Amino acid sequence: MHTVTLIPGDGIGPSIADVAVRVIEAAGVDIQWERVEAGMTAIDKFKDPLPEHVLESIRRTRVALKGPLTTPVGSGFRSVNVALRKEFDLYSNVRPAHSFEGVPSRYRDVDLIIVRENTEEFYAGIEHYIDPSRSAAETIGVVTRTGSERIVRYAYDYARRHGRKKVTTVHKANILKYTGGLFLDVSRSVAAEYQDIKTEDKIIDNMAMQMVINPHQFDVIVTTNLFGDILSDLASGLVGGLGLAPGANIGYNAAIFEAVHGSAPDIAGKNLANPAALILAGVLMLRHLNETAAADRIEKAVARVLSEGRYVTRDLNPGAPVGTAEMGGEIIRNLT
Ligand code: NAD
């Protein structure tokens, strides 16, 4: 039996988390869930977006499945997602994007893995207004040699473990001479140790264009925090949207699995949210827990429901959609 921390999140979070838990349980995995609240719902209850008992639970279980958490834009509390990644040093954010048969999208057979550095640079929270009248603001993006080396190494090790052929380092070292330059230098010296994996590097702006024009040329992509955040949403758009994009936040001592998408306030409470991204995050979690057979069964069931295209949410079938729980129910019926 596994013990897993469950953070349902807010917005569409609780509805998709319920479905993900039902699907995982229907696949026969024995999990004791420790259900805790963070973000908006925790502020309402505990006056703290990240209460100590949430951290304590993850410290103990070392694995969490997390629904999306709203972060107020501009002022308000800092991102709980970022705080969790920093607290547990979840330095690697792995975001796969691959095509599913039957899903309306611009491309077929896309199969990309984005490995995003998850703790440094512009997300480290070193920022302030320079004076009380807020005439200017500064955000300091720190990139370290150690941080760069471990994420690039993670990407190459991932490529080796999964039989992948190429790693593309994405950077902006032509303009960000120091932070971008350091990341690129480190990536080139790490790459030299992996002669079996093809290596290339691309400047972020060109990369964005290349991914839209011909995503099939890429395999594993490794990049810094902000670029990885943006490119992974772009990648999800290539394969049918955010409703299908899972992510894993991996550290040495803990791992948190979540969808790439956020709390989707525009559709929250309307029974429109696609649960597949969080279910697929659950699949990544099951692989992490060595529950490979259950992970395969769930992935196949999701693929079947998507390929059939009838019991899917509005983002995938605007003409005749079903609701979040109905799509989950159909995935469960397809578990074989
Ligand atoms: P979003 O990802 O929540 O939504 C972007 C668009 O995609 C919206 O139109 C939404 O309706 C759609 N969408 C997202 N998930 C969907 C799903 N499962 N099914 C169908 N459609 C879906 O991005 P946003 O609106 O920019 O952000 C909303 C909030 O989420 C913000 O507070 C942001 O900080 C937060 N956020 C949290 C996480 C996280 O918890 N890891 C990630 C991204 C954004």
Side-chain angles (χ1 to χ4, degrees):
M1 211 238 316
H2 308 279
T3 308
V4 171
T5 303
L6 175 70
I7 304 173
D10 51 55
I12 60 171
S15 65
I16 56 174
D18 276 357
V19 172
V21 166
R22 275 178 43 219
V23 170
I24 291 168
E25 288 181 346
V29 191
D30 194 4
I31 293 184
Q32 186 188 330
W33 301 96
E34 287 195 10
R35 202 183 173 97
V36 291
E37 282 170 46
M40 300 292 218
T41 50
I43 291 198
D44 295 342
K45 273 199 189 158
F46 309 108
K47 311 265 178 290
D48 181 355
L50 190 50
E52 178 53 32
H53 69 269
V54 174
L55 300 176
E56 190 278 320
S57 172
I58 301 172
R59 248 175 243 131
R60 202 160 19 77
T61 63
R62 302 174 66 171
V63 182
L65 183 64
K66 188 185 82 57
L69 296 170
T70 300
T71 307
V73 174
S75 60
F77 61 86
R78 298 204 73 84
S79 166
V80 175
N81 302 306
V82 172
L84 281 169
R85 292 166 193 164
K86 288 207 68 161
E87 173 71 27
F88 294 103
D89 198 20
L90 305 174
Y91 67 95
S92 181
N93 188 192
V94 183
R95 294 180 156 184
H98 76 255
S99 307
F100 285 96
E101 200 64 42
V103 171
S105 59
R106 286 184 166 69
Y107 294 100
R108 295 165 68 93
D109 302 324
V110 171
D111 184 15
L112 299 171
I113 302 290
I114 295 187
V115 178
R116 162 196 181 196
E117 201 293 318
N118 216 17
T119 54
E120 298 196 331
E121 202 216 19
F122 296 118
Y123 288 66
I126 312 170
E127 53 180 357
H128 54 246
Y129 289 104
I130 66 158
D131 59 15
S133 68
R134 302 187 167 186
S135 61
E138 288 179 337
T139 301
I140 299 173
V142 177
V143 170
T144 67
R145 186 170 292 280
T146 309
S148 303
E149 184 172 336
R150 66 180 179 173
I151 193 64
V152 174
R153 212 170 268 294
Y154 187 97
Y156 278 89
D157 286 339
Y158 183 101
R160 255 190 198 158
R161 268 201 320 277
H162 293 86
R164 296 203 165 240
K165 302 281 177 284
K166 182 166 86 167
V167 173
T168 305
T169 296
V170 179
H171 63 89
K172 186 76 185 172
N174 51 330
I175 304 297
L176 305 172
K177 302 274 187 206
Y178 294 86
T179 50
L182 176 61
F183 187 76
L184 182 57
D185 282 352
V186 171
S187 92
R188 284 178 177 163
S189 57
V190 171
E193 296 173 33
Y194 295 81
Q195 294 295 331
D196 49 320
I197 311 281
K198 222 175 141 217
T199 288
E200 66 178 5
D201 48 69
K202 290 229 179 304
I203 295 174
I204 177 68
D205 30 354
N206 176 32
M207 181 68 185
M209 184 272 286
Q210 297 278 345
M211 277 175 72
V212 171
I213 299 267
N214 177 14
H216 299 110
Q217 65 185 298
F218 300 113
D219 191 348
V220 176
I221 295 163
V222 64
T223 187
T224 44
N225 208 333
L226 178 61
F227 297 157
D229 197 3
I230 297 168
L231 284 188
S232 53
D233 268 42
L234 190 158
S236 83
L238 299 172
V239 298
L242 280 169
L244 299 173
N249 300 282
I250 310 276
Y252 300 116
N253 297 311
I256 300 182
F257 298 85
E258 62 182 346
V260 169
H261 65 70
S263 54
D266 53 336
I267 58 168
K270 297 183 179 162
N271 198 23
L272 295 173
N274 184 342
L278 194 60
I279 294 171
L280 292 170
V283 167
L284 298 179
M285 181 187 82
L286 293 176
R287 294 200 193 291
H288 178 81
L289 295 171
N290 287 322
E291 293 282 358
T292 314
D296 289 346
R297 285 177 69 211
I298 296 175
E299 201 164 42
K300 284 194 185 115
V302 170
R304 268 196 289 271
V305 171
L306 293 175
S307 137
E308 217 236 336
R310 284 213 305 148
Y311 294 91
V312 294
T313 43
R314 189 185 65 172
D315 51 319
L316 301 180
N317 184 358
V322 300
T324 306
E326 290 85 342
M327 181 167 170
E330 187 62 12
I331 292 169
I332 291 172
R333 268 189 293 284
N334 275 273
L335 285 169
T336 51

